[in-house]
């Protein structure tokens, strides 16, 4: 298997230090923290002093190129060619492997060329707080009124004032229907069948995802701040302990395909990809609801080519383009107009687009006060280390 | 030189076992990787029959190919520049005395012990503060920093083992300093320069952090592409790519060894 356990740096901020974050993660994380505080200030001072002309480079050519900073697989040649045909602007794509890398590079001043960046939900929040992204001029955008309800006013960026959601997904369960006694609809199956599932399930290695799923199962909010509810969730998870083979985000794929594992908790994107290869597997979003993650597009304050950035946002808002992108790249769009343009088989693909009823019960993971974070972490450490 | 053979060697010595274990430890993972690159199945858990599908999918993946080209361009350029500079540095440090030499030596080897992330962020901040825009050349420049140190270290160790009188003898016999360097010292250093280059090349191909922070303008190295794809899933075509890379580099190493062997034989005949 190719490198595993790395993908999830998107959610690193929620992972406790006590859990098995890899060394590289820790480095990235501490780099983001350290350099953010110390180095960026110095870089900013130096560069502000020396390079005010550099921020407006040769205008005639700059307007013809748009630099974007994104995840691999979120763009492809067809998408870029379509944009060039329409606007005459050439797109140069650079990729990052984690939000933390992206943040550090931006704070270090290495992102001055980028007019569009693709941070994840929690990172948008942080970048807004750090005043790194420019508010979006809604009058320059067409078609922003057609978001699915969950993205009309997201917790990470109220009113989508600074960011535009572009890709989203869920957290759920993946399993082989041929290997379970009755069809799995949600988390209750796991709790009811703990005896048969001895060391045959894996959970994501992330405190808020696992605790959140349990809170949902108990009927509470994913972002509960009530100590009693959190304790109840912990006690439920303790009952599950004999069934849990490990807490891993990636790396369960082989064992699940071969039948050594019965059920794995997974991000929808991983599951969709896996099912393409092993069609006998099935992914469900628990009927009690799940967590939602979102990747967005923002325009950084340092953007050299704001006009082209708005062109790009409008291009991505275009339902036709969004729909084609969903078809080619198998990623879910929050744009309802684009959703309507999709072929029926994709519209009904429950893995990409869970039913509205389930969506309505789902929430994004929102930050909680420090004391509550500590509480989550404490239970998580007890759970994962016992 | 002939060492008297020790009395009737046991057919199964512990040295043999240790050697076998070591080679197994080093090469079995690579063999498994090569084996599964021909697997028709996505998962290594099942063997779905022999297939070239991952090689085909690799051929159709233009992003991986351009990332590989960028990586090779960075590695070759950085190693070539570092080979020249690193050799000169090692020779200079061995030959001359000057004030601050110890300090110079210490500082020049620092990239070996500083964590990648620190080099990466420091380089980025430096590049930004002097107003350079990031592109493939900034990756190359950053890679030269650590390639230089590795090559210089390897060449230095070789230099300490050399007979210093050889070069002096050449000078005595009427060679110019340049000739003495090119014809006497350099051939002696060649194996060290070569192995230093190999080491630096591998490290440069492997580097994710430094490249991530110094890349720009569409330059995208192979590790950056692969790690960014982990988010949406990496396919076994990466296995296929690794096998191709191993074969190509194995072939190159064989070729250079062969050339060295031929030239050495010629030297002995003269």
């Amino acid at each position: 298997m190719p490198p595993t356990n790395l993908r999830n740096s998107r959610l690193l901020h929620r992972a406790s230090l006590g859990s098995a974050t890899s060394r590289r993660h820790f480095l990235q994380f501490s780099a983001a923290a350290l350099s953010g505080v110390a180095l960026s200030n110095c870089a900013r001072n130096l560069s502000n002093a020396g390079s005010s002309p550099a921020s407006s480079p040769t205008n005639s050519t700059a307007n013809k190129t748009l630099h974007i900073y994104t995840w691999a697989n979120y763009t492809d040649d067809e998408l870029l060619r379509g944009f060039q045909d329409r606007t005459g602007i050439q797109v140069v794509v650079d990729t990052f492997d984690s939000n933390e890398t992206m943040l550090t590079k931006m704070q270090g001043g290495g992102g001055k060329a980028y007019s569009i960046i693709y941070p994840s939900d929690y990172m948008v929040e942080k970048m807004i707080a750090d005043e790194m992204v420019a508010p979006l001029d809604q009058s320059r955008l067409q078609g922003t009124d057609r978001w699915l309800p969950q993205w009309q006013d997201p917790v990470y960026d109220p009113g989508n004032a600074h960011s535009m959601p572009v890709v989203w997904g869920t957290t759920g369960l993946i399993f082989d229907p041929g290997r379970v006694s009755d069809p799995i609809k949600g988390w209750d199956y796991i709790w009811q069948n703990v005896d048969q599932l001895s060391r045959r399930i894996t959970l994501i290695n992330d405190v808020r995802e696992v605790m959140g799923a349990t809170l949902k199962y108990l009927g509470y909010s994913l972002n509960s701040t009530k100590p009693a509810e959190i304790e109840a969730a912990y006690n439920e998870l303790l009952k599950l302990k004999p069934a849990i083979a490990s807490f891993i985000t990636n790396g369960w794929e082989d064992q699940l395909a071969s039948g050594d594992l019965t059920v794995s908790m997974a991000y929808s994107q991983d599951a969709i990809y896996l099912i393409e290869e092993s069609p006998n597997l099935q992914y469900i979003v628990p009927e009690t609801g799940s967590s939602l993650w979102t990747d967005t597009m923002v325009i950084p304050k340092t953007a050299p080519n704001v006009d082209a950035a708005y062109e790009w946002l409008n291009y991505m808002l275009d339902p036709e383009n969004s729909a084609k992108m969903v078809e080619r790249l198998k990623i879910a769009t929050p744009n309802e107009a684009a959703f309507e343009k999709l072929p029926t088989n994709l519209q009904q693909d429950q893995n990409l687009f869970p039913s509205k009823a389930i969506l309505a019960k789902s929430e994004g993971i929102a930050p909680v006060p420090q004391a509550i974070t500590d509480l989550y972490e404490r239970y998580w450490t007890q759970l994962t280390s016992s | 030189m002939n060492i008297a053979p020790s009395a009737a060697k046991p057919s199964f010595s512990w040295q043999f076992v240790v050697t076998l274990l070591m080679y197994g430890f080093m090469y079995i993972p690579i063999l498994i990787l090569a084996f599964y690159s021909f697997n028709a199945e996505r998962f290594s858990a099942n063997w779905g029959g022999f297939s070239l599908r991952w090689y085909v999918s690799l051929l159709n993946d233009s992003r991986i190919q351009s990332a590989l080209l960028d990586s090779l361009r960075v590695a070759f350029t950085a190693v070539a520049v570092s080979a020249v500079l690193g050799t000169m540095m090692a020779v200079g440090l061995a030959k001359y005395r000057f004030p601050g030499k110890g300090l110079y030596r210490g500082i020049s080897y620092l990239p070996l012990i500083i964590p990648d992330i620190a080099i990466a962020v420091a380089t980025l901040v430096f590049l930004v503060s002097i107003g350079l825009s990031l592109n493939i050349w900034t990756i190359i420049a950053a890679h030269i920093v650590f390639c230089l140190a590795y090559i210089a270290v390897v060449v230095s160790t070789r230099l300490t083992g050399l007979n210093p009188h050889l070069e002096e003898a050449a000078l005595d016999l009427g060679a110019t300093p340049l000739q003495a360097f090119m014809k006497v010292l350099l051939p002696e250093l060649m194996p060290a320069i070569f192995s230093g280059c190999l080491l630096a090349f591998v490290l440069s191909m492997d580097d994710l952090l430094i490249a991530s922070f110094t890349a720009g303008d569409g330059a995208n190295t192979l590790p950056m592409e692969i790690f960014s794809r982990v988010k949406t899933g990496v396919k076994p075509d990466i296995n296929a790519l690794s096998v191709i890379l191993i074969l190509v580099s194995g072939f190159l190493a064989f070729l250079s060894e062969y050339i060295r062997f031929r030239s050495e034989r010629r030297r002995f005949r003269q």
Side-chain angles (χ1 to χ4, degrees):
Chain A
M1 272 295 293
T4 54
N5 203 16
L6 285 156
R7 174 213 120 128
N8 200 31
S9 43
R10 187 172 73 77
L11 295 157
L12 179 70
H13 74 303
R14 299 173 197 143
S16 68
L17 286 179
S19 66
T21 41
S22 73
R23 190 179 138 82
R24 190 189 298 278
H25 276 163
F26 180 69
L27 279 177
Q28 282 176 352
F29 193 59
S30 50
L34 281 177
S35 65
V37 179
L39 293 169
S40 70
N41 289 339
C42 121
R44 223 171 267 153
N45 296 342
L46 279 168
S47 53
N48 285 353
S51 65
S52 35
S55 59
S56 57
T58 48
N59 276 321
S60 52
T61 55
N63 286 342
K64 291 279 167 237
T65 35
L66 169 69
H67 289 257
I68 67 177
Y69 199 26
T70 179
W71 303 88
N73 290 1
Y74 275 13
T75 58
D76 61 2
D77 288 342
E78 208 174 321
L79 192 74
L80 305 184
R81 218 179 305 120
F83 184 67
Q84 190 164 9
D85 289 347
R86 182 198 271 211
T87 60
I89 299 169
Q90 200 204 337
V91 185
V92 180
V93 177
D94 288 340
T95 54
F96 52 84
D97 60 274
S98 73
N99 278 296
E100 285 66 34
T101 305
M102 182 273 294
L103 181 71
T104 315
K105 188 160 173 181
M106 292 304 293
Q107 286 178 328
K112 288 221 187 87
Y114 305 123
S115 300
I116 291 280
I117 312 178
Y118 282 58
S120 305
D121 37 24
Y122 73 93
M123 192 49 82
V124 173
E125 209 165 348
K126 179 163 172 46
M127 289 173 84
I128 295 172
D130 291 354
E131 302 192 340
M132 295 170 72
V133 299
L136 293 179
D137 181 354
Q138 301 293 338
S139 64
R140 296 179 72 176
L141 298 169
Q142 288 98 45
T144 49
D145 47 344
R146 296 299 310 275
W147 301 125
L148 292 170
Q150 279 71 24
W151 287 274
Q152 281 164 5
D153 192 18
V155 279
Y156 56 83
D157 180 21
N160 287 315
H162 298 78
S163 67
M164 216 182 89
V166 61
V167 179
W168 62 275
T170 53
T171 314
L173 299 170
I174 182 168
F175 54 91
D176 184 346
R179 290 202 170 96
V180 293
S181 39
D182 6 86
I184 301 182
K185 291 264 190 281
W187 282 103
D188 44 351
Y189 178 90
I190 311 269
W191 267 279
Q192 282 158 17
N193 294 281
V194 171
D195 301 338
Q196 287 122 60
L197 290 172
S198 172
R199 303 199 61 79
R200 292 179 70 85
I201 70 168
T202 62
L203 301 181
I204 285 177
N205 186 13
D206 183 285
V207 48
R208 293 292 304 279
E209 287 284 357
V210 171
M211 296 287 277
T214 317
L215 285 164
K216 275 279 169 197
Y217 163 69
L218 293 172
Y220 305 130
S221 161
L222 189 79
N223 299 309
S224 173
T225 51
K226 298 196 183 93
E229 293 179 1
I230 299 170
E231 194 186 344
Y234 167 70
N235 287 331
E236 280 301 308
L237 278 169
L238 270 191
K239 290 184 206 156
L240 217 56
K241 191 75 190 168
I244 302 171
S246 57
F247 293 90
I248 48 174
T249 306
N250 290 90
W252 40 264
E253 292 91 341
D254 276 334
Q255 283 176 291
L256 188 73
S258 67
D260 292 340
L261 291 171
T262 310
V263 187
S264 286
M265 181 181 177
Y267 291 110
S268 53
Q269 205 76 92
D270 290 334
I272 289 165
Y273 176 75
L274 192 61
I275 290 169
E276 242 173 64
E277 302 292 338
S278 308
N280 57 324
L281 296 178
Q282 192 189 344
Y283 173 78
I284 57 135
V285 182
E287 52 190 359
T288 44
S290 103
S291 76
L292 299 174
W293 54 265
T294 313
D295 285 342
T296 69
M297 295 186 285
V298 300
I299 303 179
K301 282 209 167 143
T302 50
N305 198 348
V306 176
D307 296 334
Y310 277 102
E311 292 274 5
W312 177 261
L313 293 182
N314 278 322
Y315 176 70
M316 296 297 285
L317 276 169
D318 182 341
E320 291 279 348
N321 289 323
S322 280
K324 278 193 212 137
M325 187 185 77
V326 173
E327 282 179 54
R328 286 199 310 269
L329 302 176
K330 294 283 183 321
I331 48 185
T333 174
N335 189 339
E336 199 161 17
F339 177 76
E340 284 158 10
K341 291 236 187 284
L342 285 174
T344 2
N345 67 328
L346 278 180
Q347 279 182 348
Q348 288 168 354
D349 187 336
Q350 294 277 312
N351 303 341
L352 269 179
F353 300 102
S355 73
K356 295 223 157 134
I358 290 180
L359 257 190
K361 286 187 209 153
S362 302
E363 299 168 69
I365 292 180
V368 291
Q370 188 59 44
I372 302 296
T373 306
D374 293 345
L375 191 66
Y376 273 115
E377 296 291 347
R378 205 178 68 226
Y379 283 132
W380 180 248
T381 312
Q382 284 174 15
L383 184 72
T384 50
S385 58
S386 63
Chain B
M1 195 158 52
N2 244 333
I3 300 172
S6 53
K9 265 193 182 165
S11 59
F12 205 71
S13 65
W14 65 270
Q15 287 99 330
F16 177 75
V17 175
V18 170
T19 314
L20 207 67
L21 276 177
M22 281 311 296
Y23 274 104
F25 184 66
M26 287 192 289
Y27 290 107
I28 285 176
I30 297 178
L31 287 179
I32 291 174
L33 176 101
F35 182 69
Y36 277 113
S37 73
F38 296 108
N39 190 354
E41 285 268 331
R42 159 76 175 74
F43 302 103
S44 37
N46 315 332
W47 175 252
F50 179 85
S51 133
L52 289 176
R53 86 180 250 223
W54 302 116
Y55 289 85
V56 174
S57 103
L58 185 69
L59 279 180
N60 293 329
D61 192 336
S62 61
R63 293 269 291 277
I64 281 278
Q65 287 165 21
S66 81
L68 175 63
L69 271 186
D70 277 348
S71 258
L72 289 175
R73 209 171 288 154
V74 168
F76 272 113
T77 320
V79 168
V81 174
S82 317
V84 176
L85 293 180
T87 308
M88 288 184 353
M89 189 167 104
V91 171
L93 277 172
K95 240 188 211 176
Y96 303 107
R97 276 162 195 273
F98 52 90
K101 179 172 159 179
L103 190 67
Y104 183 105
R105 192 196 295 269
I107 290 174
S108 59
Y109 297 155
L110 266 186
L112 303 184
I113 50 164
I114 297 182
D116 273 3
I117 183 71
I119 299 183
V121 175
T123 313
L124 171 66
V125 171
F126 170 73
L127 288 170
V128 168
S129 53
I130 62 170
L132 274 183
S133 62
L134 303 178
N135 53 37
I136 193 166
W137 293 102
T138 49
I139 313 181
I140 293 174
H143 278 201
I144 287 175
V145 173
F146 67 85
C147 290
L148 183 68
Y150 277 97
I151 294 178
V153 162
V154 176
V155 174
S156 299
T157 47
R158 170 91 182 170
L159 266 171
T160 53
L162 277 188
N163 183 350
H165 302 307
L166 282 177
E167 204 183 355
E168 287 164 21
L171 292 171
D172 275 352
L173 293 169
T176 64
L178 183 69
Q179 278 174 327
F181 176 75
M182 297 298 279
K183 294 203 164 160
V184 178
L185 197 55
L186 207 55
E188 291 289 331
L189 290 181
M190 242 354 172
I193 297 175
F194 185 72
S195 47
C197 284
L198 276 185
L199 185 65
F201 186 84
V202 169
L203 287 165
S204 166
M205 286 294 283
D206 203 34
D207 167 69
L208 168 73
L209 279 176
I210 296 179
S212 291
F213 282 94
T214 52
D217 201 21
N220 201 6
T221 65
L222 198 57
M224 287 167 67
E225 178 72 23
I226 293 172
F227 277 86
S228 186
R229 279 183 185 200
V230 172
K231 182 179 165 92
T232 41
V234 178
K235 288 188 287 183
D237 54 1
I238 301 297
N239 294 359
L241 179 69
S242 319
V243 172
I244 294 176
L245 282 179
I246 291 168
L247 285 181
V248 170
S249 49
F251 176 74
L252 285 180
F254 173 78
L255 199 71
S256 65
E257 275 298 293
Y258 181 69
I259 292 170
R260 204 173 60 92
F261 174 71
R262 286 261 308 256
S263 70
E264 233 157 57
R265 249 199 348 198
R266 210 178 306 136
R267 216 147 47 114
F268 280 127
R269 255 188 236 141
Q270 278 169 0

